[in-house]
Amino acid sequence: MSAVSLISATAILASSAPAMAQERSPEEPEITAERIPISELDINSSPSENIEAVSLALDNDDRAARGVEADELNYAVIDDPTRPEGEIEVVWDDGIIPASVDIAHADFGEYGGQRGVGVLIEEDPENAPSGVTRSSDNPIAVPDNMYLDHMFCLDFFYEPDYPADEDEPSTNQEHHLTTCYEKYAEAGTDLWGYYRRATWTNAIGSEVLYKPRLVDFSARTQPWEGTEGHVQRMVDWAPVAPESSCTAGASVTIGAGGTGLTFPTSNCQDTWVDAIPSQGKMGQIFEGEVRRQKTLDYGMLFEADNTSVVPTLSDYAWAEVNYRGPQGTTGEDFTLWTDLGWVPW
């Protein structure tokens, strides 16, 4: 009953004109895009835990709880076509393989431009997890009368648009996005559960003057495009409101009729909840300011259209990092990650 499908990760990086970064062009940009097969790029792969990115991916809460080992992960270094000598590091669980790199450029004329790079990832049929057989794995969420259908984590490491501190480990010199989910089902019924966690970590700037700050970070989940009818509605979810319902280290429970999930929550300061229960859509948005790292996590319990449907959900993450540039200018570093089933709200 596994429902892994195509996933796309896209990083929309900072404007090429930092002094104009907060301006908005009055006209639509001219956009060019290209898809480059992985076979045409330089990729080095290794599951060794001695690689800093792999070691950091193993340390995240979701994989650590499951006792994941290095040989259960995959690692690739992909040339970043938008940056001379630039690279993207990707760490992903078994069952998924990188297929191509998408690059794009939005030209705003005198207002500068934005570059983008995406890594398209596909299911690996030879190593795809079988879902129910993985239910003995240790998840983060604790199910009540539900079984674990599938879990997955993906890590991306991108170079920032400001100079990174070369004295720091390489993973501190890069922006780091981790996105994980766990999907549950109640046997023989139309009830499903979903737990999502996304963490953003800023790259450390090379000089004090850059002072990077994460000022906007959001994570959302919704039915996969074209399968919206498979999800009837959310019957419970958490958090339901900022601060009052999610304290760092505390656990919350969502449920219906003795079936549900219990999971830990992170600090909800400066966040708000974006939920559309009738459409099976859930999200959490941070609009504060942190220097280094922010985690968003939420859970949802929803009804499928019938007992034979296996709902497929689509995830999204967005981050904006502001930094101070030379002569007091302001720069903005944007990152957008979605899978291919995502439709903008």
Side-chain angles (χ1 to χ4, degrees), residues 126-148:
E126 294 183 0
N127 293 301
S130 59
V132 175
T133 60
R134 294 176 61 88
S135 62
S136 60
D137 285 350
N138 246 344
I140 293 291
V142 179
D144 186 8
N145 292 325
M146 305 191 88
Y147 66 87
L148 178 63

Side-chain angles (χ1 to χ4, degrees), residues 180-195:
C180 300
Y181 71 81
E182 298 172 359
K183 188 168 69 167
Y184 298 83
E186 182 183 25
T189 75
D190 60 0
L191 199 61
W192 292 78
Y194 199 78
Y195 172 65

